[in-house]
């Protein structure tokens, strides 16, 4: 498969040399933030873990602790995220979303709707190992109703593979009958079909649905459902259509209007930097009147902005 990330492994990598560069950047008075961000955004996550190990071996100190005591604010959060192994980071995000004050539904939706079944299984087992708790139990203890049911379906991580030709017509029909054609809504049908069919299959179902009903599936979901259930169903539909497209929309949402949702910005920019950032940039440019690069530039500042733009990796005119 062709590489779609903006951050790749550094070819002349030497963990000890990198550890020394970071040590010098923090030694003495003041901190060389620029040296830190230039180095860390130019290494893969796996390489950052090796640098962390080398740093401890050479200096008897924890690199992340040292970085955190030297840096602050949003830039510190971004660097901390860059230093965390990917699955561990997702586990931490989910744990915080559940155990924090109130439930951060947005994080539950984003991670569970966009990750592959294989990734969801890795997240579940690491969650268990780290917290000695069952992720599904924690999620169900903290959510309710149809929203909870949909998250449980996604947590089963058993989305079907491929396209089932004989089901396209009946799936579209079932969704039509469950929503637009019914007084009230049969949410269960939406949950079962959107939660279990493959993305390729769902794309065909959405075409058939439009032919059948005259509506885009998104329009029907907006009319027929509300609240967190609507959020998760729309996220699943967007991901079925295009995962990079889903993240492009989320990034735009995090920056448009007054204020910035920095948590979302950091979460997506870091977690997709080695996966599909090039595709996200292309989708962003297609959907909005600006590029991801220009929007980050206009919405952030300082070392935080510099590091984000390096993760973005370039502008799309």
């Amino acid at each position: 498969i062709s590489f779609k990330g903006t951050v790749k492994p550094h070819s002349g990598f030497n963990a000890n040399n990198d550890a020394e560069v970071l040590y010098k950047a923090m030694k003495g008075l003041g901190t060389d933030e620029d040296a830190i961000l230039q180095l860390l955004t130019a290494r893969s996550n796996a390489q950052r873990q090796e640098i962390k190990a080398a740093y401890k071996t050479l200096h008897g100190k924890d690199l992340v602790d040292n970085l955190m005591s030297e840096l602050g604010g949003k830039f510190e959060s971004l660097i901390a995220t860059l230093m965390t192994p990917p699955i561990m980071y997702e586990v931490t995000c989910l744990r915080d979303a559940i155990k924090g004050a109130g439930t951060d539904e947005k994080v539950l939706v984003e991670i569970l709707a966009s990750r592959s079944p294989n990734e969801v299984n890795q997240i579940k087992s690491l969650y268990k190992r780290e917290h000695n708790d069952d992720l599904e139990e924690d999620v169900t203890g903290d959510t309710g109703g149809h929203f909870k049911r949909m998250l449980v379906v996604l947590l089963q991580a058993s989305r079907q593979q491929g396209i089932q030709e004989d089901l396209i017509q009946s799936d579209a029909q079932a969704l039509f009958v469950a929503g637009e054609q019914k007084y009230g809504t049969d949410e269960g049908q939406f949950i079962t079909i959107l939660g279990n069919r493959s993305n390729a299959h769902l794309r065909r179902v959405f075409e058939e649905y439009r032919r059948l009903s005259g509506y885009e599936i998104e329009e029907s979901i907006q009319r027929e459902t509300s609240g967190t259930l609507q959020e998760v169903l729309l996220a699943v539909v967007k991901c079925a259509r295009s995962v990079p497209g889903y993240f492009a929309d989320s990034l735009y949402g995090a920056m448009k209007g007054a204020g910035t949702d920095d948590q979302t910005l950091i979460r997506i920019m870091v977690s997709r930097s080695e996966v599909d950032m090039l595709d996200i940039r292309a989708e962003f440019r297609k959907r909005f009147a600006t590029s991801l690069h220009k929007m980050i530039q206009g919405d952030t500042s300082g070392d935080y902005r510099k590091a984000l733009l390096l993760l973005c990796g370039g502008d799309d005119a």
Side-chain angles (χ1 to χ4, degrees), residues 172-186 189-190 209 212:
Q173 185 68 46
L175 290 170
F176 189 39
V177 171
E180 297 287 356
Q181 284 199 313
K182 190 175 162 51
Y183 182 73
T185 308
D186 176 2
Q189 276 292 7
F190 281 85
Y209 184 86
L212 198 72

Side-chain angles (χ1 to χ4, degrees), residues 74-95:
K74 296 179 269 202
F75 181 54
E76 176 183 330
S77 304
L78 177 62
I79 295 296
T81 305
L82 283 170
M83 291 304 302
T84 312
I87 301 289
M88 177 65 89
Y89 176 62
E90 309 198 317
V91 164
T92 305
C93 286
L94 290 169
R95 182 74 174 181

Side-chain angles (χ1 to χ4, degrees), residues 52-303:
K52 189 176 179 243
Y55 191 91
K56 188 166 267 182
T57 301
L58 293 167
H59 299 290
K61 294 173 168 183
D62 186 286
L63 173 57
V64 178
D65 290 349
N66 282 183
L67 286 165
M68 297 306 96
S69 66
E70 296 290 326
L71 310 173
K74 296 179 269 202
F75 181 54
E76 176 183 330
S77 304
L78 177 62
I79 295 296
T81 305
L82 283 170
M83 291 304 302
T84 312
I87 301 289
M88 177 65 89
Y89 176 62
E90 309 198 317
V91 164
T92 305
C93 286
L94 290 169
R95 182 74 174 181
D96 293 347
I98 296 164
K99 296 291 175 192
T103 309
D104 190 345
E105 286 93 356
K106 187 184 345 191
V107 173
L108 297 180
V109 167
E110 181 191 295
I111 294 177
L112 297 179
S114 67
R115 300 313 194 259
S116 69
N118 179 30
E119 287 172 291
V120 173
N121 282 324
Q122 288 180 286
I123 290 168
K124 285 188 331 197
S125 59
L126 185 61
Y127 190 95
K128 182 104 192 143
R129 223 175 44 234
E130 282 299 305
H131 301 293
N132 206 17
D133 281 326
D134 183 74
L135 177 58
E136 189 183 314
E137 279 174 28
D138 282 355
V139 166
T140 53
D142 221 41
T143 55
H146 296 294
F147 177 57
K148 172 171 89 175
R149 284 176 60 188
M150 185 61 177
L151 294 181
V152 169
V153 169
L154 296 174
L155 278 164
Q156 301 318 299
S158 43
R159 200 177 270 288
Q160 296 145 3
Q161 300 289 302
I163 297 173
Q164 294 155 283
E165 293 289 345
D166 52 328
L167 288 180
I168 291 169
Q169 177 78 45
S170 59
D171 281 350
Q173 185 68 46
L175 290 170
F176 189 39
V177 171
E180 297 287 356
Q181 284 199 313
K182 190 175 162 51
Y183 182 73
T185 308
D186 176 2
E187 292 91 352
Q189 276 292 7
F190 281 85
I191 290 168
T192 300
I193 294 172
L194 296 177
N196 285 294
R197 305 288 190 258
S198 75
N199 287 348
H201 180 88
L202 287 173
R203 288 193 292 273
R204 293 279 300 278
V205 172
F206 301 158
E207 268 171 52
E208 183 59 31
Y209 184 86
R210 188 178 58 223
R211 216 184 49 74
L212 198 72
S213 68
Y215 301 120
E216 293 293 356
I217 188 73
E218 289 90 338
E219 297 175 73
S220 294
I221 290 170
Q222 272 161 335
R223 258 198 302 276
E224 297 292 328
T225 63
S226 61
T228 49
L229 175 66
Q230 182 183 94
E231 257 176 76
V232 70
L233 293 177
L234 287 174
V236 166
V237 168
K238 280 182 185 184
C239 288
R241 290 196 189 275
S242 161
V243 170
Y246 168 69
F247 285 118
D249 282 353
S250 300
L251 285 167
Y252 185 78
M255 291 185 281
K256 77 173 198 309
T260 305
D261 177 355
D262 291 292
Q263 268 183 311
T264 296
L265 189 52
I266 292 171
R267 197 171 55 246
I268 298 175
M269 292 304 294
V270 174
S271 66
R272 307 315 286 186
S273 60
E274 292 183 53
V275 185
D276 53 5
M277 188 55 68
L278 293 173
D279 291 335
I280 292 171
R281 272 169 43 189
E283 282 292 333
F284 196 97
R285 194 66 198 85
K286 238 177 16 206
R287 290 164 187 235
F288 308 110
T290 184
S291 65
L292 179 56
H293 193 278
K294 287 188 184 66
M295 198 152 182
I296 291 171
Q297 205 156 17
D299 227 59
T300 57
S301 61
D303 295 316

